[in-house]
Amino acid sequence: MSENNLKTLKEKMNRYLCPPGNGVFTVNTAKERKEAFWKQLYGSSLGVHEKWQADMEKLADSKVALLGIPSDCGGGILRGANWGPLFLRSELIKEDLKYHDLGDVRVIPHLLLDKYLNQETIESCRKALYQDGEFPLPVSPLSITEDFCNSYYATFSDKKLFSLGGDHSVSYPLTKSYLKAKKAQGKKVALIHFDAHTDLLEERMGIDICFGSWCTHILEDLLSPGHLIQIGIRSSGHERGHWENKFGVQQYWAEQVREEGPSKIADKIIAYLKQNTIDELYISYDIDALDASYASATGTPELNGLSPHESMIILQELAASFPFGGADLVEVAPFLATDLKGESPEPQTTLLSATTLIRFIISKMGED
Ligand SMILES: [Mn+2]
């Protein structure tokens, strides 16, 4: 770890990030919820910014860091995943889990990626975020995330990152930066993607990086498209063969997981990964991979999905064979609880399902 890299990272943390749970810009809205969380985290809701800054010194001591990206500008059906990080942290804090909370990316809710912006907008947003319009820093949540992650991995090549979305577009900069870092380390990585949808559009209404298209564009950063393995698919305009033939990805649809059982699916994936001499895995978990009865508080809840138990079996078996080098869990939108079957209290059911998965993934990331 170089001191220069650490200095740059700390500067970026101060500019790009804010205290955990504070990334959705509000004046009064959700104040009680934020304060209740900070009381649990810091013992008081006063002096939060200073406590968060002082905490940065502890980053060097922990193996896994948590980053919130409360952006839902890359979504497009029902939004609300910007509140995922705050609500999920309020559950995670009850767990005995080891991680350093980096905080949230500061999100301008109308922006997605800097390449979609004109110079005038970039400059005015730079003034709003950094008080210095001339300083050439990114302003959109996905662009900030990528630059931050690049600095993080440049500073700590052996540390891991678990990120909370946000809509699924946030996984694009997260995986891009991660894959770049691993390539530099000479490690072969596969991307394990849990989702009801393939996210394999080339563009959606002219936008190339969004919740429905991020996977297509990350393929070029993988050593082989077959290193993208999708699990839980069931809502798609095409059959599995279409996607596998067109892109060379691998898919295990939810129906196949039910028919063959999660353990057999995990065996197949592990055999393939070993054959491909994969060193480690990145897990990207869209909560809508789960059946809507376990996770309705999301932008596109879908029935006939995986159960948390089936997911856990696959994750446990994968973790027994490969280290988890990085992960994210996205698309938890607590205000969108639809309670499709009228059986379970929402958004609590979705939050608890997500927490079960996060707890397992973070604890495995900390073990390796
Ligand atoms: Mn997705």
Side-chain angles (χ1 to χ4, degrees):
M1 180 184 76
S2 97
E3 285 304 315
N4 255 350
N5 283 349
L6 183 61
K7 190 167 166 272
T8 309
L9 179 69
K10 279 186 184 164
E11 277 171 16
K12 287 185 177 174
M13 282 162 74
N14 273 306
R15 285 179 180 262
Y16 292 167
L17 309 184
C18 61
N22 211 24
V24 181
F25 179 74
T26 61
V27 179
N28 266 311
T29 311
K31 199 171 155 211
E32 303 77 14
R33 183 170 285 275
K34 289 182 182 181
E35 286 179 353
F37 168 66
W38 290 329
K39 271 184 191 154
Q40 279 188 289
L41 181 64
Y42 295 125
S44 158
S45 60
L46 300 172
V48 164
H49 200 87
E50 292 71 21
K51 285 173 184 160
W52 166 70
Q53 279 184 317
D55 247 16
M56 283 181 198
E57 301 307 321
K58 295 183 200 154
L59 171 60
D61 305 330
S62 57
K63 183 139 199 179
V64 185
L66 185 74
L67 178 69
I69 308 149
S71 163
D72 61 5
C73 189
I77 310 290
L78 287 171
R79 294 194 183 171
N82 58 335
W83 288 103
L86 174 62
F87 278 67
L88 286 169
R89 278 197 182 93
S90 303
E91 295 300 324
L92 285 174
I93 201 163
K94 299 174 192 165
E95 305 280 332
D96 182 24
L97 265 179
K98 285 196 176 61
Y99 58 83
H100 176 87
D101 199 332
L102 290 162
D104 281 340
V105 167
R106 296 173 67 205
V107 169
I108 297 177
H110 322 286
L111 306 187
L112 183 58
L113 197 60
D114 281 5
K115 71 170 184 176
Y116 300 142
L117 303 175
N118 62 28
Q119 204 50 37
E120 190 188 348
T121 307
I122 289 179
E123 278 165 23
S124 100
C125 291
R126 268 187 196 140
K127 274 187 194 136
L129 280 179
Y130 313 120
Q131 285 73 53
D132 179 357
E134 301 308 309
F135 209 71
L137 292 176
V139 294
S140 306
L142 268 48
S143 306
I144 291 175
T145 300
E146 186 174 342
D147 193 54
F148 175 77
C149 292
N150 287 343
S151 271
Y152 178 83
Y153 291 123
T155 311
F156 302 113
S157 57
D158 56 341
K159 280 198 198 300
K160 301 178 181 183
L161 204 52
F162 187 98
S163 306
L164 299 169
D167 74 79
H168 217 156
S169 68
V170 305
S171 298
Y172 179 73
L174 291 170
T175 51
K176 195 171 181 65
S177 176
Y178 169 81
L179 291 168
K180 191 173 137 192
K182 294 299 157 180
K183 200 173 189 180
Q185 292 171 19
K187 284 192 179 165
K188 275 178 92 173
V189 174
L191 183 50
I192 309 293
H193 170 209
F194 288 86
D195 207 315
H197 315 93
T198 67
D199 297 358
L200 281 170
L201 295 172
E202 279 160 70
E203 51 91 39
R204 191 173 188 268
M205 303 192 78
I207 298 298
D208 62 346
I209 306 295
C210 70
F211 73 136
S213 62
W214 72 276
C215 272
T216 311
H217 299 281
I218 207 63
L219 289 178
E220 62 193 54
D221 295 279
L222 290 165
L223 287 173
S224 153
H227 296 170
L228 173 64
I229 297 169
Q230 304 187 305
I231 306 165
I233 310 293
R234 59 197 181 278
S235 177
S236 167
H238 299 280
E239 300 286 307
R240 176 179 144 192
H242 166 84
W243 302 110
E244 292 190 335
N245 292 333
K246 183 174 179 186
F247 292 103
V249 301
Q250 300 219 19
Q251 295 184 343
Y252 295 92
W253 286 40
E255 194 184 0
Q256 190 185 353
V257 176
R258 262 193 309 278
E259 280 168 8
E260 296 183 25
S263 195
K264 200 168 171 197
I265 299 294
D267 290 346
K268 284 183 183 177
I269 296 173
I270 290 164
Y272 171 82
L273 295 172
K274 286 194 169 161
Q275 202 182 2
N276 278 262
T277 61
I278 293 295
D279 297 308
E280 65 176 56
L281 308 179
Y282 183 100
I283 312 291
S284 183
Y285 205 107
D286 187 325
I287 200 67
D288 70 26
L290 293 182
D291 188 82
S293 58
Y294 302 102
S296 75
T298 186
T300 47
E302 307 278 359
L303 290 167
N304 302 315
L306 305 178
S307 68
H309 180 66
E310 286 167 330
S311 286
M312 283 295 287
I313 287 174
I314 296 174
L315 286 169
Q316 280 165 351
E317 295 201 12
L318 290 175
S321 293
F322 297 95
F324 291 171
D328 59 60
L329 186 134
V330 300
E331 298 283 2
V332 169
F335 292 118
L336 289 184
T338 42
D339 207 355
L340 290 184
K341 288 180 175 171
E343 289 165 0
S344 48
E346 284 287 25
Q348 209 53 26
T349 302
T350 304
L351 292 171
L352 292 178
S353 302
T355 304
T356 304
L357 298 165
I358 298 169
R359 184 203 303 133
F360 177 74
I361 296 169
I362 290 185
S363 57
K364 280 293 162 194
M365 285 167 80
E367 275 176 21
D368 305 319

